[in-house]
């Protein structure tokens, strides 16, 4: 029995969200080529480009959709899907008849095809091949894979990974990635056909070249939707399947795998050598390990080589001293590698050595930037655990001098408070460090500094105000100060608020309007504290008269009672 649409406007709004639903209403006239089939509904929608849409209802009344617009390709129920759904609902009464007609056409086509002779079907296929180049290419590839000519198969498979037909500007854009994905997927299917047809050795050889070719091309493709990454994963799986069937020479396979993993092109396919254990066996794994170690020794700073050797060591049981040696061969200037070594030693129960390496990282960190924050935290946590609170303060103080900021100041304050040394010389020294790092300038609207932020964070408002007045405060800090002191110093805060409003008079946009309303509320609070509310009313009336053409601003002010 044919059926009406199993969805309504409520379903469309729920799936799309209110914004996309309302935008979809504006595309009703753009829906063309609507085809209501027995199982699915397809249509074309003209937007900034022409998009293909498909709606599918499952047996339980659920609705799913696909659209090839960028938003739809991310899995969203987009405005184009809404437009098609609303178009279907507008003719809901005719849907059962249209579905019945579609089912009848399908049955008629099946009956007609069943009644054709072999010669007639071949003639029909050849007719389609003459008109559809994509279909012709796919069938030619399948024919070659079933035949004997390995070179022809290789050439045609590798041609499918060529990005040039899709790179209009030397780069495969996101909109063209889907078409390239379909072509590359054909190549993967052909490789699998080779393996299934008893030609797995050929599949191994061609898959290796394809992996390299795709890896080289991947950086020239906008794969925001992950489509090409999925094909790359399938290609790697196809290579592994072929290897498991063909059982190529373990040593030679190991050499290829290691060289591929050490090549920059391997990132696209993300091959995992551990998946090949059954293909390589112990001799192949030993050969792979030897090649990786030799490559690392020749270039200890090479990240890929270091990473591969580290994986072998962990697979062999994780010799801690060997891992330390690998990391120690290339120490990062900020102590980050020292931290990695410290964590390895700590996990092995060698706490004293772990702390020694971490302390060494602090000492050897390049002056200027200072050590890695996580390394500092690692050392301070262990010092605190051992009751060495004064040492924690020293480490935090050194980091403040290397990287003066509100965060490093707060860490010194926390450490010194725990040690009972914050009030007095320690705080004064920390503020002196922040002031030395700041650059005051003339005027109050530039030169924002960590010094003012630190004084605000301490709640020392008088000192913060003075620092800002001395040129160490920017607009953000002045407004924060005004908010903090307006109950005690409303006249001073009022001056800041009024100064903040002036540049907003010439601006438009929701952000500027919201900010002006916020500042005006501060101005009103100051006038109330000063007992000069009539003066505020005069100022507000003049401002509204000056800004009256900005209707949205007037609405925002009304919403805030201004």
């Amino acid at each position: 029995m044919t059926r009406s649409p199993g969805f309504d406007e409520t379903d469309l709004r729920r799936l799309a969200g209110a914004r996309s639903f309302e935008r979809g209403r504006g595309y009703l006239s753009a829906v063309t080529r609507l085809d209501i089939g027995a199982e699915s509904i397809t249509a074309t929608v003209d937007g900034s480009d022409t998009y293909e849409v498909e709606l599918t209802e499952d047996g339980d009344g659920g609705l799913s959709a696909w659209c090839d617009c960028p938003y739809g390709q991310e899995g969203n129920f987009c405005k184009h899907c809404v437009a098609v759904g609303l178009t279907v609902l507008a003719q809901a009464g005719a849907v059962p008849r249209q579905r019945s007609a579609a089912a009848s056409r399908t049955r008629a086509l099946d009956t007609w095809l069943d009644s054709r002779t072999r010669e007639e079907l071949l003639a029909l296929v050849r007719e389609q091949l003459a008109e559809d180049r994509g279909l012709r290419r796919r069938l030619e590839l399948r024919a070659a894979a079933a035949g004997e000519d390995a070179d022809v198969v290789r050439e045609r498979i590798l041609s499918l990974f060529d990005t040039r037909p899709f790179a209009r500007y030397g780069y495969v854009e996101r909109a063209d990635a889907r078409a390239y994905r379909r072509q590359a997927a054909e190549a993967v299917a052909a490789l699998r056909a080779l393996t299934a047809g008893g030609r797995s050795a050929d599949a191994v050889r061609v898959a290796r070249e394809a992996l390299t070719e795709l890896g080289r091309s991947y950086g020239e493709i906008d794969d925001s939707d992950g489509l090409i990454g999925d094909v790359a994963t399938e290609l790697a799986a196809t290579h592994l399947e072929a290897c498991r069937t063909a059982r190529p020479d373990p040593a030679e396979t190991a050499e290829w795998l290691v060289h591929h993993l050490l090549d920059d092109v391997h990132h696209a396919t993300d091959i995992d050598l551990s998946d090949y254990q059954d293909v390589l066996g112990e001799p192949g794994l030993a050969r792979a390990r030897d090649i990786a170690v030799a490559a690392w020794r020749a270039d200890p700073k090479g990240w890929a080589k270091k990473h591969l050797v580290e994986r072998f060591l962990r697979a062999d049981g994780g010799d801690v001293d060997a891992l330390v040696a690998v990391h120690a061969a290339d120490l990062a200037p900020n102590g980050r590698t020292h931290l990695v070594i410290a964590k390895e030693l700590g996990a092995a129960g060698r706490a004293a050595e772990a702390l020694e390496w971490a302390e060494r990282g602090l000492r050897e960190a390049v002056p200027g930037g200072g050590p890695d924050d996580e390394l500092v935290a690692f050392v301070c946590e262990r010092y605190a655990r051992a009751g060495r609170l004064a040492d924690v303060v020293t480490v935090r103080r050194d980091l403040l001098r290397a990287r003066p900021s509100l965060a490093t100041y707060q860490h010194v304050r926390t450490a010194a408070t725990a040690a009972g040394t914050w009030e007095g010389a320690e705080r004064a020294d920390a503020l002196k460090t922040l002031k030395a790092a700041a650059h005051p300038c003339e005027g109050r609207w530039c030169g924002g500094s960590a010094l003012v932020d630190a004084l605000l964070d301490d709640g020392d408002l008088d000192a913060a105000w003075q620092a800002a007045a001395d040129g160490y405060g920017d607009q953000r800090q002045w407004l924060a100060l005004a908010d903090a002191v307006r109950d005690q110093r409303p006249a001073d805060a009022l001056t800041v608020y009024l100064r903040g409003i002036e540049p907003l008079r010439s601006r438009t946009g929701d952000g500027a309007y919201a900010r002006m309303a916020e500042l005006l509320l501060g101005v009103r609070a100051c006038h109330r504290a000063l007992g000069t509310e009539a003066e505020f009313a005069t100022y507000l009336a003049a401002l509204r008269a000056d800004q009256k053409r900005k209707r949205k601003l007037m609405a925002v002010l009304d919403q805030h009672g201004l």
Side-chain angles (χ1 to χ4, degrees):
M1 180 177 178
T2 55
R3 64 188 188 280
S4 299
F7 60 89
D8 55 21
E9 286 195 14
T10 301
D11 296 316
L12 296 177
R13 184 184 293 275
R14 174 179 53 82
L15 290 167
R19 187 166 182 267
S20 288
F21 180 82
E22 292 304 324
R23 294 181 70 184
R25 288 185 182 276
Y27 281 81
L28 294 178
S29 62
V31 177
T32 59
R33 297 169 58 190
L34 180 67
D35 184 10
I36 300 178
E39 301 296 333
S40 63
I41 300 165
T42 60
T44 297
V45 181
D46 294 321
S48 55
D49 204 340
T50 298
Y51 300 114
E52 300 296 327
V53 174
E54 180 176 8
L55 304 182
T56 304
E57 297 179 70
D58 60 34
D60 298 324
L63 178 66
S64 61
W66 175 85
C67 178
D68 61 357
C69 74
Y71 189 61
Q73 288 181 23
E74 294 175 357
N76 298 297
F77 199 101
C78 67
K79 59 189 177 185
H80 307 113
C81 297
V82 171
V84 173
L86 291 174
T87 301
V88 172
L89 292 176
Q91 55 186 58
V95 168
R97 176 178 53 79
Q98 291 171 311
R99 282 181 165 157
S100 177
S104 296
R105 290 194 299 271
T106 299
R107 289 193 299 270
L109 177 59
D110 289 342
T111 301
W112 182 77
L113 287 173
D114 288 340
S115 68
R116 297 305 93 189
T117 65
R118 178 177 181 275
E119 289 72 19
E120 288 174 325
L121 290 174
L122 285 174
L124 181 61
V125 170
R126 291 189 179 104
E127 178 184 335
Q128 293 302 309
L129 291 177
E131 297 177 359
D132 190 335
R133 294 177 60 188
L135 175 61
R136 183 180 188 86
R137 185 177 62 238
R138 290 194 295 273
L139 293 185
E140 283 176 343
L141 187 55
R142 293 192 185 186
E148 299 292 334
D149 196 336
D151 289 335
V152 173
V153 175
R154 171 188 171 277
E155 179 182 350
R156 291 182 178 173
I157 287 177
L158 293 180
S159 71
L160 294 177
F161 289 103
D162 185 359
T163 59
R164 285 176 295 181
F166 304 91
R168 288 178 287 181
Y169 308 103
Y171 183 82
V172 180
E173 296 180 332
R174 181 179 180 182
D176 299 311
R178 182 174 294 275
Y180 177 73
R181 188 279 304 268
R182 286 196 293 267
Q183 180 172 295
E186 291 176 19
V188 174
L191 285 167
R192 285 198 167 126
L194 278 177
T195 299
R199 300 172 62 184
S200 55
D202 288 338
V204 170
R205 179 171 64 88
V206 180
R208 289 182 184 178
E209 293 186 73
L211 286 164
T212 300
E213 183 62 30
L214 182 57
R216 287 173 179 164
S217 302
Y218 191 69
E220 303 170 357
I221 303 171
D222 182 349
D223 192 29
S224 302
D225 301 315
L227 302 174
I228 314 305
D230 291 342
V231 172
T233 300
E234 288 298 312
L235 178 58
T238 300
H239 174 260
L240 178 57
E241 292 167 9
C243 286
R244 285 174 172 163
T245 303
R247 292 293 169 179
D249 178 71
E252 187 272 335
T253 302
E255 291 178 12
W256 182 86
L257 282 168
V258 172
H259 289 135
H260 179 76
L261 290 171
L262 296 182
D263 195 324
D264 289 339
V265 304
H266 86 278
H267 297 292
T269 51
D270 198 24
I271 283 179
D272 190 339
L273 192 143
S274 64
D275 292 336
Y276 287 79
Q277 289 187 17
D278 58 330
V279 174
L280 298 174
E282 188 51 43
L285 287 171
R287 177 61 179 152
R289 188 183 303 108
D290 291 342
I291 298 171
V293 170
W296 168 72
R297 286 176 175 164
D299 180 21
K301 295 183 180 296
W303 181 88
K305 302 175 180 69
K306 176 180 175 180
H307 178 67
L308 188 55
V309 170
E310 182 183 349
R311 292 188 65 180
F312 273 118
L313 289 172
R314 294 193 186 283
D316 290 341
D319 184 332
V320 175
D321 291 314
L323 286 168
V324 168
V326 169
H327 292 299
D330 181 29
L331 295 171
N334 66 348
R336 183 69 186 181
T337 320
H338 296 76
L339 175 63
V340 173
I341 293 173
K343 287 183 174 181
E344 293 285 357
L345 291 167
R350 295 158 64 173
E353 293 174 77
L355 183 56
E356 288 175 7
W357 266 100
E359 291 172 328
R360 176 180 164 183
L362 294 183
R363 294 193 302 271
E364 296 179 356
V366 174
D372 178 81
D373 286 333
E374 192 177 343
L375 173 64
V376 172
F378 182 93
V379 173
C380 289
E381 180 186 355
R382 278 145 187 81
Y383 281 171
R385 198 183 301 164
R388 299 170 57 180
L389 300 183
D391 290 332
V392 175
V393 175
T394 299
V395 172
R396 290 298 186 184
R397 184 193 305 130
D398 290 343
L399 186 59
L400 173 66
R401 291 170 179 169
R403 290 202 298 272
S405 69
L406 174 61
T408 52
Y409 176 86
Q410 289 169 329
H411 283 306
V412 173
R413 184 178 64 197
T414 299
T417 300
T421 60
W422 176 239
E423 296 300 335
E426 192 68 59
R427 179 173 184 264
D429 183 65
L431 291 171
K432 183 178 179 181
T433 297
L434 292 181
K435 186 173 183 179
H439 301 285
C441 62
E442 294 182 2
R444 295 183 175 181
W445 301 101
C446 61
S449 67
L451 173 63
V452 175
D453 286 333
L455 291 168
L456 275 167
D457 198 55
D458 282 344
D460 193 343
L461 300 182
D462 290 338
W465 189 279
Q466 186 59 54
D470 290 341
Y472 294 99
D474 63 8
Q475 183 177 10
R476 172 188 62 82
Q477 293 169 326
W478 271 111
L479 292 173
L481 275 167
D483 290 341
V485 306
R486 73 185 183 198
D487 291 339
Q488 295 78 30
R489 301 167 59 174
D492 290 335
L494 177 60
T495 301
V496 175
Y497 290 136
L498 292 174
R499 189 165 56 231
I501 288 172
E502 286 309 304
L504 295 175
R505 288 174 176 265
S506 60
R507 298 179 190 172
T508 58
D510 292 349
Y513 300 156
R515 188 62 177 146
M516 182 177 283
E518 181 182 353
L519 293 175
L520 283 170
L521 291 173
V523 171
R524 185 173 66 184
C526 291
H527 276 295
R528 284 176 176 173
L530 292 167
T532 54
E533 294 179 80
E535 185 178 332
F536 172 70
T538 301
Y539 172 82
L540 180 61
L543 184 142
R544 290 184 68 108
D546 178 64
Q547 302 282 301
K548 63 183 179 181
R549 293 187 178 181
K550 299 176 181 176
R551 296 180 180 178
K552 199 164 187 180
L553 172 60
M554 296 298 103
V556 171
L557 297 184
D558 290 340
Q559 290 171 5
H560 288 81
L562 294 166

